[in-house]
Amino acid sequence: MDTSTLIGGRFKPKDGPTSGAMGDVWTAEDVRLGRTVAVKFLAQRRLMQQGAPTEFAETTARMFEREARAMARVNHSRVATLYDSGEHDGDFYIVMEYVEGKSLAEHLRTGPRLPLERTVRWARQICEGLEAAHTAKVIHRDIKPDNIMITQQGDVKLVDFGLAFLADVTQTHTVAGTPLYKAPERWHGETGSERSDLYSVGCVLYEMLTGHPPFGSAHDDPMTVGRMHQDDTPAPPSAHRPGIPAQLDTLVRTLLAKDPADRPKNAHTTAHAVGELLHVLDATEDTTGRAELPDTPGSNTGLSKRIEALDLRIFELEILHDRSDQPVIEARTEHAELTGQSGDTRGAAALYDRLARDCQDFFGPYDVRTLDAFEGLARWNGKAQRSDRC
Protein backbone atom coordinates (compact mmCIF):
# COMPACT_ATOMS: atom_id res chain seq x y z
CA MET A 1 0.00 0.00 0.00
CA ASP A 2 1.18 3.50 -0.82
CA THR A 3 1.62 5.02 2.65
CA SER A 4 1.98 8.53 1.21
CA THR A 5 -1.73 8.76 0.38
CA LEU A 6 -4.51 9.23 2.90
CA ILE A 7 -6.88 6.31 3.41
CA GLY A 8 -10.42 7.52 2.85
CA GLY A 9 -9.06 11.04 2.51
CA ARG A 10 -8.31 11.37 6.25
CA PHE A 11 -6.31 8.44 7.72
CA LYS A 12 -2.51 8.63 7.39
CA PRO A 13 -0.72 5.27 7.89
CA LYS A 14 1.95 5.29 10.59
CA ASP A 15 3.12 1.92 11.91
CA GLY A 16 2.34 -1.47 10.48
CA PRO A 17 1.08 -3.58 9.15
CA THR A 18 0.38 -6.43 11.52
CA SER A 19 -0.77 -9.29 9.34
CA GLY A 20 -3.40 -11.91 10.12
CA ALA A 21 -5.39 -14.51 8.24
CA MET A 22 -8.19 -12.10 7.37
CA GLY A 23 -6.27 -8.89 6.84
CA ASP A 24 -3.62 -6.36 7.77
CA VAL A 25 -3.94 -3.84 10.59
CA TRP A 26 -2.20 -0.47 10.33
CA THR A 27 -1.81 2.18 12.98
CA ALA A 28 -2.86 5.48 11.43
CA GLU A 29 -3.50 9.09 12.32
CA ASP A 30 -6.92 10.59 11.75
CA VAL A 31 -5.72 13.93 10.34
CA ARG A 32 -9.18 15.47 10.69
CA LEU A 33 -9.61 14.74 14.39
CA GLY A 34 -5.94 14.35 15.39
CA ARG A 35 -6.24 10.94 17.00
CA THR A 36 -4.59 7.55 16.51
CA VAL A 37 -6.77 4.82 15.02
CA ALA A 38 -6.39 1.23 13.82
CA VAL A 39 -7.19 0.57 10.16
CA LYS A 40 -7.90 -3.04 9.23
CA PHE A 41 -7.71 -4.03 5.56
CA LEU A 42 -9.19 -7.15 4.05
CA ALA A 43 -6.26 -9.10 2.60
CA GLN A 44 -8.14 -9.61 -0.63
CA ARG A 45 -5.13 -9.93 -2.89
CA ARG A 46 -3.55 -12.58 -0.66
CA LEU A 47 -6.79 -14.53 -0.81
CA MET A 48 -6.84 -14.80 -4.58
CA GLN A 49 -5.60 -17.76 -6.56
CA GLN A 50 -4.80 -17.30 -10.25
CA GLY A 51 -6.86 -14.12 -10.43
CA ALA A 52 -10.16 -15.66 -9.32
CA PRO A 53 -11.76 -15.47 -5.86
CA THR A 54 -11.48 -18.70 -3.93
CA GLU A 55 -14.25 -20.02 -1.70
CA PHE A 56 -12.11 -19.10 1.30
CA ALA A 57 -11.67 -15.56 -0.03
CA GLU A 58 -15.40 -15.14 -0.46
CA THR A 59 -16.08 -16.47 3.04
CA THR A 60 -13.45 -14.16 4.51
CA ALA A 61 -14.93 -11.17 2.70
CA ARG A 62 -18.33 -11.95 4.26
CA MET A 63 -16.71 -12.26 7.69
CA PHE A 64 -14.99 -8.91 7.20
CA GLU A 65 -18.28 -7.23 6.29
CA ARG A 66 -19.98 -8.92 9.25
CA GLU A 67 -17.28 -7.67 11.62
CA ALA A 68 -17.97 -4.09 10.57
CA ARG A 69 -21.73 -4.51 10.98
CA ALA A 70 -21.35 -6.19 14.37
CA MET A 71 -18.97 -3.57 15.78
CA ALA A 72 -21.17 -0.75 14.48
CA ARG A 73 -24.05 -2.05 16.62
CA VAL A 74 -22.18 -2.06 19.92
CA ASN A 75 -21.42 1.14 21.81
CA HIS A 76 -19.79 0.37 25.13
CA SER A 77 -16.57 1.20 26.95
CA ARG A 78 -15.65 -2.51 27.12
CA VAL A 79 -15.81 -2.96 23.33
CA ALA A 80 -13.49 -1.37 20.78
CA THR A 81 -15.40 1.28 18.83
CA LEU A 82 -15.90 1.23 15.06
CA TYR A 83 -15.32 4.67 13.51
CA ASP A 84 -15.58 4.20 9.76
CA SER A 85 -15.42 1.79 6.83
CA GLY A 86 -14.76 2.15 3.13
CA GLU A 87 -12.71 1.15 0.12
CA HIS A 88 -9.16 2.25 -0.73
CA ASP A 89 -7.39 1.31 -3.96
CA GLY A 90 -9.81 -1.56 -4.42
CA ASP A 91 -9.35 -2.92 -0.87
CA PHE A 92 -12.04 -2.82 1.80
CA TYR A 93 -11.14 -1.46 5.24
CA ILE A 94 -12.63 -0.66 8.62
CA VAL A 95 -11.39 2.01 11.03
CA MET A 96 -11.46 1.13 14.71
CA GLU A 97 -10.49 2.54 18.07
CA TYR A 98 -6.77 2.12 18.67
CA VAL A 99 -6.35 0.24 21.93
CA GLU A 100 -3.02 1.02 23.53
CA GLY A 101 -2.03 -1.94 25.67
CA LYS A 102 -1.50 -5.69 25.48
CA SER A 103 -3.77 -8.63 24.85
CA LEU A 104 -4.78 -10.87 27.73
CA ALA A 105 -2.86 -13.61 25.90
CA GLU A 106 0.34 -11.58 26.26
CA HIS A 107 -0.32 -11.02 29.95
CA LEU A 108 -0.81 -14.75 30.47
CA ARG A 109 2.19 -15.68 28.36
CA THR A 110 4.78 -13.22 29.67
CA GLY A 111 3.66 -11.97 33.06
CA PRO A 112 3.45 -13.48 36.54
CA ARG A 113 0.34 -15.36 37.65
CA LEU A 114 -2.62 -12.99 37.78
CA PRO A 115 -3.81 -12.00 41.27
CA LEU A 116 -7.33 -13.20 42.03
CA GLU A 117 -8.69 -9.68 42.39
CA ARG A 118 -7.43 -8.67 38.94
CA THR A 119 -8.68 -11.92 37.42
CA VAL A 120 -12.17 -11.39 38.79
CA ARG A 121 -12.23 -7.69 37.85
CA TRP A 122 -11.24 -8.45 34.26
CA ALA A 123 -13.79 -11.30 34.09
CA ARG A 124 -16.53 -8.89 35.16
CA GLN A 125 -15.45 -6.38 32.49
CA ILE A 126 -15.46 -9.11 29.82
CA CYS A 127 -19.04 -9.93 30.81
CA GLU A 128 -19.99 -6.25 30.72
CA GLY A 129 -18.70 -6.03 27.15
CA LEU A 130 -20.58 -9.18 26.19
CA GLU A 131 -23.75 -7.89 27.82
CA ALA A 132 -23.59 -4.83 25.55
CA ALA A 133 -22.94 -7.00 22.48
CA HIS A 134 -25.73 -9.45 23.32
CA THR A 135 -28.18 -6.61 23.94
CA ALA A 136 -27.37 -5.48 20.39
CA LYS A 137 -28.08 -9.05 19.15
CA VAL A 138 -24.39 -9.69 18.46
CA ILE A 139 -22.91 -13.07 19.44
CA HIS A 140 -19.11 -12.79 19.45
CA ARG A 141 -18.30 -16.52 18.97
CA ASP A 142 -14.54 -16.11 19.38
CA ILE A 143 -13.94 -15.02 22.97
CA LYS A 144 -10.34 -15.92 23.76
CA PRO A 145 -7.33 -14.20 25.39
CA ASP A 146 -6.07 -12.93 22.00
CA ASN A 147 -9.34 -11.05 21.45
CA ILE A 148 -9.37 -9.42 24.89
CA MET A 149 -7.22 -6.30 25.03
CA ILE A 150 -6.05 -4.82 28.33
CA THR A 151 -5.55 -1.07 28.09
CA GLN A 152 -2.69 0.79 29.74
CA GLN A 153 -5.21 1.82 32.40
CA GLY A 154 -5.79 -1.87 33.16
CA ASP A 155 -9.28 -2.19 31.67
CA VAL A 156 -10.76 -4.68 29.20
CA LYS A 157 -11.66 -4.01 25.56
CA LEU A 158 -13.21 -6.78 23.46
CA VAL A 159 -11.94 -6.84 19.87
CA ASP A 160 -12.16 -8.91 16.67
CA PHE A 161 -15.80 -9.56 15.82
CA GLY A 162 -14.85 -11.38 12.62
CA LEU A 163 -16.80 -14.51 13.60
CA ALA A 164 -19.72 -12.61 15.10
CA PHE A 165 -23.27 -13.78 14.49
CA LEU A 166 -26.07 -11.23 14.15
CA ALA A 167 -28.95 -12.93 15.90
CA ASP A 168 -31.65 -10.95 14.07
CA VAL A 169 -30.16 -11.28 10.57
CA THR A 170 -30.17 -14.32 8.29
CA GLN A 171 -26.60 -15.07 7.31
CA THR A 172 -24.29 -17.79 6.10
CA HIS A 173 -23.75 -20.47 8.74
CA THR A 174 -20.23 -21.04 10.06
CA VAL A 175 -18.90 -23.34 12.77
CA ALA A 176 -15.51 -21.63 12.88
CA GLY A 177 -13.97 -20.82 16.25
CA THR A 178 -10.88 -21.35 18.36
CA PRO A 179 -10.83 -24.98 19.61
CA LEU A 180 -9.51 -24.26 23.12
CA TYR A 181 -12.46 -21.95 23.89
CA LYS A 182 -15.28 -23.35 21.73
CA ALA A 183 -18.52 -24.46 23.41
CA PRO A 184 -19.64 -28.11 23.15
CA GLU A 185 -22.78 -27.32 21.14
CA ARG A 186 -20.70 -25.55 18.52
CA TRP A 187 -18.69 -28.75 18.04
CA HIS A 188 -22.04 -30.34 17.17
CA GLY A 189 -22.48 -27.82 14.35
CA GLU A 190 -24.77 -25.35 16.10
CA THR A 191 -24.48 -21.64 15.34
CA GLY A 192 -24.00 -20.65 18.96
CA SER A 193 -25.80 -18.36 21.36
CA GLU A 194 -25.20 -15.93 24.21
CA ARG A 195 -24.54 -18.92 26.45
CA SER A 196 -21.93 -20.20 23.99
CA ASP A 197 -20.04 -16.94 24.54
CA LEU A 198 -20.37 -17.45 28.30
CA TYR A 199 -18.86 -20.94 27.98
CA SER A 200 -15.86 -19.31 26.27
CA VAL A 201 -15.66 -16.84 29.17
CA GLY A 202 -15.48 -19.85 31.49
CA CYS A 203 -12.54 -21.23 29.50
CA VAL A 204 -10.76 -17.86 29.65
CA LEU A 205 -11.46 -17.48 33.37
CA TYR A 206 -10.13 -21.00 34.01
CA GLU A 207 -6.92 -20.09 32.18
CA MET A 208 -6.54 -16.83 34.09
CA LEU A 209 -6.86 -18.73 37.36
CA THR A 210 -4.69 -21.76 36.57
CA GLY A 211 -2.37 -20.72 33.74
CA HIS A 212 -3.86 -23.15 31.21
CA PRO A 213 -7.23 -23.74 29.49
CA PRO A 214 -9.60 -26.37 30.92
CA PHE A 215 -9.08 -28.71 27.97
CA GLY A 216 -5.98 -29.41 25.92
CA SER A 217 -3.30 -27.07 24.64
CA ALA A 218 -2.47 -25.22 21.46
CA HIS A 219 -0.36 -28.18 20.33
CA ASP A 220 -3.18 -30.75 20.55
CA ASP A 221 -5.25 -32.01 17.66
CA PRO A 222 -8.39 -29.81 17.41
CA MET A 223 -10.75 -32.79 17.23
CA THR A 224 -9.20 -34.25 20.37
CA VAL A 225 -9.78 -30.94 22.15
CA GLY A 226 -13.34 -30.91 20.80
CA ARG A 227 -14.07 -34.32 22.31
CA MET A 228 -12.76 -33.07 25.65
CA HIS A 229 -15.14 -30.09 25.55
CA GLN A 230 -18.04 -32.43 24.83
CA ASP A 231 -17.23 -35.31 27.20
CA ASP A 232 -14.74 -34.35 29.94
CA THR A 233 -15.13 -32.47 33.21
CA PRO A 234 -12.13 -30.39 34.27
CA ALA A 235 -10.82 -30.33 37.82
CA PRO A 236 -11.96 -27.22 39.71
CA PRO A 237 -9.50 -24.31 39.55
CA SER A 238 -8.81 -24.69 43.28
CA ALA A 239 -7.30 -28.13 42.58
CA HIS A 240 -4.55 -26.33 40.66
CA ARG A 241 -4.36 -23.21 42.82
CA PRO A 242 -5.08 -23.43 46.55
CA GLY A 243 -6.81 -20.40 48.02
CA ILE A 244 -9.45 -19.95 45.33
CA PRO A 245 -12.83 -19.33 47.02
CA ALA A 246 -15.55 -21.94 46.62
CA GLN A 247 -17.76 -19.33 44.92
CA LEU A 248 -15.19 -18.95 42.15
CA ASP A 249 -15.05 -22.73 41.61
CA THR A 250 -18.86 -22.69 41.41
CA LEU A 251 -18.89 -19.89 38.86
CA VAL A 252 -16.37 -21.67 36.62
CA ARG A 253 -18.25 -24.98 36.89
CA THR A 254 -21.51 -23.27 35.93
CA LEU A 255 -19.98 -21.43 32.98
CA LEU A 256 -18.47 -24.70 31.70
CA ALA A 257 -21.71 -26.70 31.90
CA LYS A 258 -22.11 -28.98 28.87
CA ASP A 259 -25.78 -28.09 28.43
CA PRO A 260 -26.27 -24.39 27.61
CA ALA A 261 -29.45 -24.41 29.76
CA ASP A 262 -27.29 -25.14 32.83
CA ARG A 263 -25.06 -22.10 32.27
CA PRO A 264 -25.74 -18.59 33.59
CA LYS A 265 -28.91 -17.01 32.24
CA ASN A 266 -27.07 -14.18 30.50
CA ALA A 267 -24.00 -11.95 30.65
CA HIS A 268 -25.74 -9.52 32.98
CA THR A 269 -26.33 -12.10 35.72
CA THR A 270 -22.77 -13.35 35.25
CA ALA A 271 -21.32 -9.85 35.61
CA HIS A 272 -23.35 -9.38 38.81
CA ALA A 273 -22.13 -12.70 40.22
CA VAL A 274 -18.53 -11.82 39.44
CA GLY A 275 -19.04 -8.45 41.13
CA GLU A 276 -20.19 -10.29 44.25
CA LEU A 277 -16.94 -12.27 44.13
CA LEU A 278 -14.99 -9.04 44.42
CA HIS A 279 -16.69 -8.49 47.79
CA VAL A 280 -15.79 -12.05 48.81
CA LEU A 281 -12.14 -11.46 47.93
CA ASP A 282 -12.13 -8.16 49.81
CA ALA A 283 -13.55 -9.89 52.89
CA THR A 284 -11.13 -12.80 52.82
CA GLU A 285 -7.98 -11.03 51.57
CA ASP A 286 -7.53 -13.59 48.80
CA THR A 287 -7.67 -16.66 51.05
CA THR A 288 -10.12 -19.53 51.12
CA GLY A 289 -13.63 -18.10 51.20
CA ARG A 290 -15.93 -16.14 53.44
CA ALA A 291 -15.14 -15.77 57.12
CA GLU A 292 -16.51 -18.27 59.58
CA LEU A 293 -19.46 -17.20 61.67
CA PRO A 294 -18.38 -15.89 65.08
CA ASP A 295 -18.92 -18.10 68.10
CA THR A 296 -22.20 -17.13 69.73
CA PRO A 297 -24.24 -18.72 72.53
CA GLY A 298 -26.72 -20.32 70.10
CA SER A 299 -24.32 -21.35 67.37
CA ASN A 300 -23.37 -24.90 66.51
CA THR A 301 -21.20 -26.59 63.92
CA GLY A 302 -24.14 -28.16 62.08
CA LEU A 303 -25.87 -24.82 61.52
CA SER A 304 -22.62 -23.16 60.50
CA LYS A 305 -22.05 -25.78 57.80
CA ARG A 306 -25.64 -25.48 56.59
CA ILE A 307 -25.26 -21.70 56.38
CA GLU A 308 -21.98 -22.03 54.51
CA ALA A 309 -23.53 -24.46 52.02
CA LEU A 310 -26.60 -22.24 51.60
CA ASP A 311 -24.37 -19.21 51.04
CA LEU A 312 -22.73 -21.03 48.13
CA ARG A 313 -26.13 -22.22 46.86
CA ILE A 314 -27.45 -18.64 46.78
CA PHE A 315 -24.42 -17.58 44.77
CA GLU A 316 -25.11 -20.37 42.26
CA LEU A 317 -28.82 -19.53 42.05
CA GLU A 318 -28.03 -15.88 41.36
CA ILE A 319 -25.89 -16.98 38.40
CA LEU A 320 -28.65 -19.15 36.94
CA HIS A 321 -31.67 -16.95 37.71
CA ASP A 322 -32.69 -13.34 37.98
CA ARG A 323 -32.29 -12.15 41.56
CA SER A 324 -36.06 -11.59 41.70
CA ASP A 325 -36.88 -15.24 40.88
CA GLN A 326 -38.60 -17.25 43.60
CA PRO A 327 -35.81 -19.83 44.18
CA VAL A 328 -33.40 -16.99 45.00
CA ILE A 329 -35.87 -15.26 47.35
CA GLU A 330 -36.62 -18.52 49.17
CA ALA A 331 -32.94 -19.38 49.59
CA ARG A 332 -32.12 -15.90 50.92
CA THR A 333 -35.02 -16.15 53.39
CA GLU A 334 -33.78 -19.52 54.63
CA HIS A 335 -30.26 -18.10 54.91
CA ALA A 336 -31.48 -15.25 57.12
CA GLU A 337 -33.48 -17.61 59.33
CA LEU A 338 -30.60 -20.06 59.82
CA THR A 339 -28.29 -17.16 60.64
CA GLY A 340 -30.67 -16.04 63.40
CA GLN A 341 -31.08 -19.59 64.69
CA SER A 342 -27.29 -19.87 64.97
CA GLY A 343 -27.39 -17.05 67.51
CA ASP A 344 -26.35 -14.23 65.17
CA THR A 345 -29.51 -12.16 65.56
CA ARG A 346 -27.92 -8.99 64.21
CA GLY A 347 -26.69 -10.88 61.17
CA ALA A 348 -30.20 -12.22 60.55
CA ALA A 349 -31.67 -8.72 60.83
CA ALA A 350 -29.07 -7.38 58.37
CA LEU A 351 -29.82 -10.15 55.85
CA TYR A 352 -33.56 -9.54 56.12
CA ASP A 353 -33.00 -5.80 55.76
CA ARG A 354 -31.16 -6.29 52.46
CA LEU A 355 -33.75 -8.81 51.27
CA ALA A 356 -36.64 -6.48 52.15
CA ARG A 357 -35.09 -3.57 50.26
CA ASP A 358 -34.44 -5.77 47.23
CA CYS A 359 -38.00 -7.15 47.29
CA GLN A 360 -39.36 -3.62 47.51
CA ASP A 361 -37.39 -2.73 44.39
CA PHE A 362 -38.40 -5.94 42.60
CA PHE A 363 -42.07 -6.24 43.55
CA GLY A 364 -43.19 -3.02 45.23
CA PRO A 365 -43.81 -2.12 48.89
CA TYR A 366 -47.06 -4.07 49.32
CA ASP A 367 -46.07 -7.40 47.79
CA VAL A 368 -46.27 -10.32 50.22
CA ARG A 369 -42.56 -11.11 49.71
CA THR A 370 -41.63 -7.56 50.66
CA LEU A 371 -43.92 -7.61 53.72
CA ASP A 372 -42.58 -11.01 54.83
CA ALA A 373 -39.00 -9.77 54.61
CA PHE A 374 -39.77 -6.64 56.64
CA GLU A 375 -41.53 -8.84 59.21
CA GLY A 376 -38.37 -10.96 59.46
CA LEU A 377 -36.30 -7.81 59.89
CA ALA A 378 -38.51 -6.57 62.73
CA ARG A 379 -38.58 -9.98 64.44
CA TRP A 380 -34.82 -10.53 64.49
CA ASN A 381 -34.11 -6.88 65.23
CA GLY A 382 -36.37 -7.15 68.27
CA LYS A 383 -34.53 -10.27 69.46
CA ALA A 384 -31.19 -8.52 69.03
CA GLN A 385 -32.39 -5.56 71.15
CA ARG A 386 -33.71 -7.85 73.88
CA SER A 387 -30.39 -9.67 73.91
CA ASP A 388 -28.57 -6.36 74.38
CA ARG A 389 -30.68 -5.55 77.43
CA CYS A 390 -29.96 -8.87 79.10
Side-chain angles (χ1 to χ4, degrees):
M1 184 178 66
D2 182 2
T3 58
S4 65
T5 61
L6 296 180
I7 302 167
R10 63 184 288 189
F11 304 108
K12 182 180 180 180
K14 292 165 50 175
D15 302 323
T18 301
S19 296
M22 191 187 299
D24 301 329
V25 180
W26 295 74
T27 304
E29 179 188 359
D30 182 343
V31 297
R32 187 179 302 171
L33 297 178
R35 66 182 173 189
T36 300
V37 298
V39 183
K40 184 174 183 177
F41 277 90
L42 174 63
Q44 203 163 10
R45 292 189 179 93
R46 286 209 310 270
L47 302 175
M48 303 282 283
Q49 291 180 350
Q50 299 177 350
T54 65
E55 182 180 350
F56 178 70
E58 293 172 354
T59 300
T60 305
R62 288 193 297 268
M63 290 167 57
F64 193 80
E65 178 186 4
R66 188 164 62 240
E67 179 175 15
R69 295 176 66 189
M71 292 185 69
R73 288 185 173 203
V74 187
N75 181 20
H76 195 273
S77 61
R78 304 296 178 213
V79 178
T81 303
L82 178 75
Y83 294 140
D84 199 1
S85 66
E87 187 176 343
H88 178 80
D89 289 342
D91 290 326
F92 296 106
Y93 68 85
I94 56 178
V95 182
M96 304 172 288
E97 174 184 2
Y98 173 71
V99 181
E100 193 169 3
K102 299 193 301 184
S103 70
L104 177 59
E106 291 178 88
H107 281 274
L108 293 172
R109 185 168 55 247
T110 62
R113 187 169 68 177
L114 296 178
L116 290 185
E117 186 277 334
R118 189 182 308 161
T119 295
V120 171
R121 178 162 50 85
W122 285 351
R124 181 177 65 176
Q125 292 180 356
I126 293 167
C127 292
E128 289 170 349
L130 277 180
E131 180 186 357
H134 294 167
T135 299
K137 304 297 183 184
V138 174
I139 312 301
H140 191 285
R141 297 203 299 179
D142 201 20
I143 292 295
K144 60 182 180 180
D146 287 297
N147 290 340
I148 299 166
M149 292 296 296
I150 309 298
T151 69
Q152 288 192 330
Q153 291 72 39
D155 293 318
V156 161
K157 291 271 188 183
L158 299 184
V159 299
D160 200 338
F161 282 72
L163 296 183
F165 179 81
L166 307 182
D168 58 347
V169 175
T170 301
Q171 59 190 63
T172 303
H173 180 65
T174 177
V175 295
T178 304
L180 292 176
Y181 311 94
K182 190 173 169 183
E185 63 273 14
R186 297 205 58 225
W187 289 96
H188 298 155
E190 296 181 21
T191 300
S193 65
E194 295 180 12
R195 286 174 168 174
S196 303
D197 277 349
L198 292 177
Y199 181 92
S200 300
V201 172
C203 294
V204 171
L205 178 55
Y206 194 100
E207 186 171 357
M208 285 196 286
L209 290 168
T210 67
H212 56 82
F215 302 110
S217 71
H219 307 293
D220 291 330
D221 172 66
M223 297 311 297
T224 299
V225 175
R227 285 192 292 272
M228 292 178 182
H229 280 289
Q230 296 169 69
D231 300 330
D232 295 354
T233 300
S238 60
H240 301 283
R241 181 176 178 178
I244 289 178
Q247 289 90 337
L248 197 43
D249 274 344
T250 296
L251 175 62
V252 170
R253 174 175 54 79
T254 308
L255 287 166
L256 294 180
K258 304 301 182 187
D259 186 343
D262 294 331
R263 295 177 205 149
K265 184 174 184 179
N266 51 45
H268 174 76
T269 60
T270 310
H272 173 81
V274 177
E276 290 296 303
L277 277 170
L278 286 172
H279 299 310
V280 172
L281 295 176
D282 286 342
T284 60
E285 295 183 347
D286 218 13
T287 55
T288 58
R290 296 189 180 179
E292 293 289 334
L293 287 170
D295 290 331
T296 57
S299 66
N300 62 65
T301 302
L303 274 178
S304 295
K305 290 190 178 300
R306 286 176 62 190
I307 291 169
E308 183 180 348
L310 190 55
D311 199 27
L312 190 59
R313 177 61 178 158
I314 291 169
F315 179 80
E316 184 176 12
L317 286 171
E318 289 185 343
I319 301 172
L320 297 170
H321 300 273
D322 286 333
R323 297 181 67 239
S324 58
D325 286 353
Q326 191 61 22
V328 179
I329 302 299
E330 290 176 354
R332 291 179 64 185
T333 300
E334 183 182 358
H335 186 256
E337 282 298 312
L338 287 179
T339 300
Q341 292 169 22
S342 75
D344 185 5
T345 53
R346 290 194 178 279
L351 290 170
Y352 265 123
D353 180 54
R354 184 179 175 187
L355 177 60
R357 294 177 189 276
D358 285 345
C359 286
Q360 186 168 272
D361 291 339
F362 298 149
F363 314 118
Y366 305 114
D367 186 271
V368 64
R369 290 159 290 192
T370 305
L371 297 174
D372 284 347
F374 275 117
E375 186 277 331
L377 166 61
R379 177 162 44 84
W380 286 109
N381 204 27
K383 291 184 178 182
Q385 291 174 358
R386 286 194 295 274
S387 178
D388 289 343
R389 289 195 295 268
C390 294

